[in-house]
Amino acid sequence: MVLGSKKIVFTAVLLAMSIALAAQQTPADKQQPSEQEQMIQRLYEAQASGNDSAFYAAHQAFMSYQEQRQDWATYYRSWMNRVIYEVNNKRFHRAYAEIHRLAEDAKARHQEQYLYLANMSLGFLFNGRNQPELGEKYFRRALRGLDAEKDPVAVFNAYLSLAQSLSFKQPAEAMACLDSLPKQMLQNPMYESGVLGYRCIIANKLDDRDAFYRYFASYDSIRQHQPAQFNAANLEQVMVCHHLMQKDYQGALAWCDSIEVPLTATELRINVYEKMGNWQQAFRATEFRDSLMLVGERASLEQRIIDMSHDIDMYQAEQEKAETRRTQLLVVGLMALAIIGLLVGMLVYRRQKNRHMREQFLQLQEARRSSEAGQAIRRAFVKTIQEKLKSPINVLKSYARIFNNPNFLLKPEERSKRYTDILTAARTIEAMMDPVLFSYARGAAGLTDEEKQICINALRSPLLTLINTSELIIDEDGQIPHDEYMQLREGVSRDAYHVATSTHQLILYSLYVDDVETPKQDRIGLNEVLRTILNSYDLQPSSIVKHRKLATQFSTTVPDTVMVDTSPLLHELLNCLLDNADKYAISGTVLMSCYANGDGTYAVSVSNEGPVIPLADAERIFDPFVRLSADEPSLGIGLPLARRLAASMGYSLVLDQEYIKGTRFVVTGIS
């Protein structure tokens, strides 16, 4: 269930401001709206209309009005609303620039007590970029700079925003966060109904029927008996949850139809169809959602790549100028030292030599800082690519899995739409191929011409085949004979899976090529997470590995109560090992095992039944782009990626050379 939308985030903050202002007026004042209330209303209407020119004009007028009155609390909160507006419209560069200006303005005016709003704004920025963990981090920072007694409105907004970040992956903690809201704020029905709406949505996500109906009763009571003070921001989502609790799926779908934001409405419909068990409709709704996201993301992706490339070029040019200046200074310094040494003797020479050594040390420090800054820019660039290619990769994987099932048939008239989706995703990946290879080449390991050719052969060839096959099917528009079409579809399934998996692994390898340590912030049950990873893994399409019967199995000697500290990268690491075991298995079972080591740590192994890797190649297989067979249609990046991910989390990954039934890889050091 989607907890937030662009309308909800903005409205929550703006209402908090307007209610606080209205509470300070007398009943006589409320009969006639004040100038400030009129400006707030114009600002809200401009935001709701989506007209940038109207919003910017209304926002600037309101900011100037508050600056004249020196009402800095309202001034900086309004500035934060500008940030939220840019985030809602996916203009993250502008949003970040506004956050920087807000912080600098507060420092220049000596209004440091409002710097918490910069942290709040960063929280909204990362939430908007689907990074709720970072959003949570900055909302918590904002809370540390607030006093609930002096500014309950700000504390209320911070806790509410923190709950929104937590609700994506930690709904129980999100509910606990709502319990921390200032009690005096909940005496206002507008605030109380808004919070009750969030509680209903989170209770539905936790599948806690008793809690849901308890919160819904209070929520509906305010709605029925105090409509003028009822906060309807999340009404449609709450009513969808209400009908789902009653298993009234048609009623839930009807409420979905009343939502104005297409993406939010589609996310809710997917949830309803999944509850109904109507997987066909859920699949179609998922396709529609992905198409909505692709349309908006492609244009912003292209602009983002241009901006990032320009930033990198500027940074490299500055580095080259700095290096030239350092070389010139070094030459001049050496000449000066030689002349002074000849004129004043050994004592002066020694002093100058010591000074020169100190300068070299400072230069080395500066070079190190510059190198670290360059790697940070590169990693940010790769993360942007990763985020923008996530949807196309998922589209290709979904179609590879679905088309692998011969019982899943498409009507001839449906083919054009489906293969257009595949073609759009493939072309997006094709457009990003050069930036992906460029990002890897700029990493610590670099990229040789031979390795680049391997990437081109292993990725671009199946990618072009996928594009050409999809275009052929679209052009024929259902005129291809059934047997020939099924052969083409099998090829599409094979190429889509290969392109999606290889691209995902190459991006991850590029992201972690610099040996950056990954914090292990998740405290989880070891057996539980391993079962989840294995159960969520899809065996490769039968069109890739034919004439075999394969199953998966999990075994453990570790109690279910054992908890370990790890990170989400453990999922990617084990997926690489499962993918390798799946690809080379002849038959039988892909087995994931968990057991304890004698040093108090735990180990996880993944094995298959198939060819045995020669002992001479036991370490070579962990080098990037190594393939044991020249004819092997593989990128050769899965096992090197798995070892890098293991090292980043403090684990070790080795090939079990004593296993002779196939291959078995062992991850050790988990604690």
Side-chain angles (χ1 to χ4, degrees):
M1 177 66 69
V2 178
L3 184 60
S5 69
K6 67 191 297 185
K7 180 178 178 182
I8 293 170
V9 173
F10 183 90
T11 305
V13 178
L14 192 57
L15 283 176
M17 182 196 301
S18 59
I19 292 172
L21 293 169
Q24 299 172 2
Q25 296 179 346
T26 65
D29 292 331
K30 295 179 182 179
Q31 295 176 1
Q32 182 65 34
S34 66
E35 180 181 359
Q36 179 164 280
E37 288 180 313
Q38 293 174 8
M39 297 178 77
I40 290 174
Q41 183 62 29
R42 285 195 296 271
L43 183 60
Y44 177 81
E45 291 173 353
Q47 186 275 336
S49 71
N51 185 317
D52 286 350
S53 298
F55 174 78
Y56 293 146
H59 182 268
Q60 184 59 48
F62 187 74
M63 291 276 289
S64 299
Y65 176 78
Q66 300 304 330
E67 185 177 18
Q68 292 175 1
R69 300 176 66 231
Q70 295 191 354
D71 183 353
W72 303 120
T74 306
Y75 177 83
Y76 288 113
R77 285 173 183 164
S78 179
W79 203 330
M80 183 174 67
N81 285 338
R82 166 69 178 269
V83 173
I84 296 169
Y85 182 79
E86 302 295 358
V87 170
N88 290 340
N89 287 280
K90 306 297 183 183
R91 295 191 284 259
F92 300 118
H93 270 301
R94 291 188 187 179
Y96 186 80
E98 289 298 330
I99 295 171
H100 179 74
R101 289 180 55 216
L102 187 157
E104 293 299 318
D105 187 89
K107 292 176 183 177
R109 298 181 190 273
H110 302 291
Q111 299 293 330
E112 286 81 0
Q113 67 270 30
Y114 298 112
L115 286 175
Y116 78 90
L117 290 169
N119 286 319
M120 288 279 290
S121 299
L122 285 169
F124 291 126
L125 173 66
F126 287 113
N127 273 5
R129 293 178 60 180
N130 294 320
Q131 295 175 284
E133 297 86 356
L134 288 174
E136 174 192 352
K137 171 184 175 181
Y138 285 100
F139 287 132
R140 291 191 185 279
R141 283 189 180 180
L143 279 167
R144 287 199 292 270
L146 290 171
D147 186 336
E149 296 295 328
K150 294 181 179 179
D151 198 349
V153 173
V155 174
F156 180 89
N157 280 327
Y159 271 117
L160 201 60
S161 302
L162 176 59
Q164 182 183 358
S165 294
L166 292 170
S167 67
F168 287 96
K169 295 183 179 179
Q170 305 173 68
E173 291 190 29
M175 189 70 81
C177 185
L178 293 178
D179 294 335
S180 302
L181 292 171
K183 303 302 181 184
Q184 66 269 32
M185 299 298 298
L186 297 178
Q187 296 174 6
N188 187 309
M190 179 71 76
Y191 283 88
E192 184 182 13
S193 56
V195 173
L196 286 169
Y198 274 109
R199 288 187 182 275
C200 289
I201 295 169
I202 297 173
N204 176 70
K205 193 170 187 178
L206 293 169
D207 201 23
D208 188 343
R209 298 178 64 87
D210 293 336
F212 177 85
Y213 283 115
R214 184 169 67 254
Y215 297 134
F216 183 79
S218 300
Y219 180 82
D220 196 53
S221 176
I222 297 175
R223 179 188 173 203
Q224 297 292 335
H225 300 102
Q226 297 174 287
Q229 296 179 289
F230 175 72
N231 187 341
N234 293 324
L235 176 61
E236 293 88 353
Q237 295 184 62
V238 173
M239 295 309 297
V240 171
C241 296
H242 177 62
H243 286 282
L244 282 177
M245 283 289 181
Q246 296 180 330
K247 297 184 178 181
D248 179 9
Y249 302 121
Q250 295 305 317
L253 289 173
W255 275 100
C256 290
D257 294 338
S258 67
I259 298 176
E260 298 177 357
V261 182
L263 184 59
T264 303
T266 304
E267 291 279 5
L268 291 170
R269 289 192 187 97
I270 292 171
N271 190 32
V272 175
Y273 289 137
E274 288 176 350
K275 294 286 187 180
M276 294 172 65
N278 190 339
W279 303 112
Q280 185 174 15
Q281 288 293 340
F283 169 70
R284 294 182 185 278
T286 301
E287 286 185 310
F288 181 64
R289 178 200 61 190
D290 291 343
S291 67
L292 287 175
M293 296 175 66
L294 281 172
V295 169
E297 288 181 357
R298 181 153 189 171
S300 61
L301 170 62
E302 293 173 352
Q303 185 60 45
R304 177 69 169 166
I305 293 301
I306 292 172
D307 292 343
M308 291 296 291
S309 299
H310 178 70
D311 291 344
I312 291 174
D313 291 341
M314 291 291 291
Y315 178 77
Q316 290 176 335
E318 289 297 323
Q319 279 189 316
E320 291 172 358
K321 291 180 181 178
E323 185 62 31
T324 301
R325 287 194 295 270
R326 282 195 293 269
T327 301
Q328 292 172 345
L329 288 173
L330 183 60
V331 172
V332 172
L334 289 173
M335 293 176 62
L337 285 173
I339 294 172
I340 294 173
L342 291 173
L343 294 175
V344 298
M346 185 62 70
L347 179 62
V348 176
Y349 173 77
R350 287 181 179 178
R351 291 181 62 187
Q352 293 299 324
K353 183 178 180 180
N354 290 337
R355 179 182 178 184
H356 174 62
M357 291 177 64
R358 181 174 179 275
E359 289 176 352
Q360 285 186 318
F361 175 74
L362 294 175
Q363 289 173 358
L364 287 173
Q365 285 186 320
E366 180 63 26
R368 180 179 178 181
R369 285 193 293 268
S370 298
S371 176
E372 291 175 348
Q375 293 299 339
I377 291 176
R378 191 194 69 80
R379 283 175 59 81
F381 179 67
V382 176
K383 285 183 179 179
T384 300
I385 295 175
Q386 180 187 38
E387 195 64 30
K388 297 306 179 182
L389 285 184
K390 184 184 298 182
S391 180
I393 288 173
N394 289 337
V395 167
L396 293 186
K397 282 188 176 180
S398 297
Y399 277 107
R401 181 170 59 252
I402 293 168
F403 286 173
N404 184 50
N405 180 3
N407 296 323
F408 181 82
L409 300 178
L410 286 173
K411 296 178 181 179
E413 59 270 18
E414 294 180 324
R415 292 177 188 170
S416 178
K417 168 63 174 66
R418 305 297 173 257
Y419 287 95
T420 297
D421 291 344
I422 295 174
L423 184 60
T424 300
R427 283 178 172 167
T428 300
I429 293 176
E430 181 189 29
M432 296 299 298
M433 190 64 62
D434 288 337
V436 169
L437 296 179
F438 171 77
S439 69
Y440 176 75
R442 300 294 296 177
L447 184 68
T448 66
D449 292 339
E450 181 181 0
E451 290 172 340
K452 187 173 182 179
Q453 190 60 45
I454 292 175
C455 290
I456 292 173
N457 293 339
L459 274 178
R460 199 176 295 278
S461 178
L463 181 60
L464 293 178
T465 302
L466 176 62
I467 291 173
N468 292 335
T469 305
S470 300
E471 288 178 338
L472 174 63
I473 295 174
I474 293 170
D475 291 340
E476 291 297 328
D477 195 19
Q479 302 303 314
I480 302 175
H482 178 74
D483 292 342
E484 181 181 349
Y485 164 70
M486 292 304 291
Q487 291 180 356
L488 291 174
R489 194 175 89 168
E490 182 178 295
V492 169
S493 176
R494 177 184 62 251
D495 292 333
Y497 182 87
H498 180 71
V499 168
T501 302
S502 298
T503 302
H504 177 67
Q505 290 181 349
L506 182 61
I507 291 173
L508 278 180
Y509 192 82
S510 176
L511 190 59
Y512 292 95
V513 73
D514 300 327
D515 294 327
V516 177
E517 183 178 349
T518 301
K520 294 180 288 187
Q521 298 176 337
D522 296 340
R523 184 74 175 171
I524 55 177
L526 181 57
N527 286 337
E528 178 184 0
V529 72
L530 294 180
R531 289 191 184 98
T532 300
I533 293 172
L534 185 60
N535 291 337
S536 64
Y537 178 77
D538 290 325
L539 293 173
Q540 297 183 14
S542 60
S543 59
I544 297 178
V545 185
K546 295 185 176 181
H547 309 301
R548 69 169 187 179
K549 293 183 178 179
L550 200 62
T552 59
Q553 182 181 344
F554 176 71
S555 68
T556 182
T557 59
V558 176
D560 285 343
T561 55
V562 170
M563 306 291 288
V564 296
D565 295 318
T566 186
S567 86
L569 289 184
L570 180 62
H571 197 143
E572 298 287 357
L573 162 61
L574 294 179
N575 266 351
C576 289
L577 299 182
L578 288 168
D579 184 65
N580 185 79
D582 181 9
K583 184 187 303 181
Y584 297 105
I586 296 175
S587 62
T589 301
V590 172
L591 176 64
M592 180 184 288
S593 302
C594 180
Y595 55 90
N597 291 321
D599 59 358
T601 63
Y602 301 93
V604 177
S605 68
V606 176
S607 60
N608 70 356
E609 299 176 22
V612 178
I613 297 175
L615 295 182
D617 297 319
E619 281 301 313
R620 198 166 71 91
I621 58 175
F622 292 107
D623 293 333
F625 309 109
V626 168
R627 298 177 294 177
L628 299 185
S629 171
D631 299 329
E632 183 179 332
S634 171
L635 187 58
I637 202 72
L639 292 177
L641 170 61
R643 174 164 279 188
R644 283 198 177 275
L645 294 177
S648 74
M649 293 182 284
Y651 307 151
S652 297
L653 172 62
V654 296
L655 171 69
D656 186 349
Q657 300 180 19
E658 298 180 358
Y659 186 73
I660 60 174
K661 294 181 180 180
T663 60
R664 177 162 62 195
F665 293 94
V666 183
V667 181
T668 59
I670 302 174
S671 62

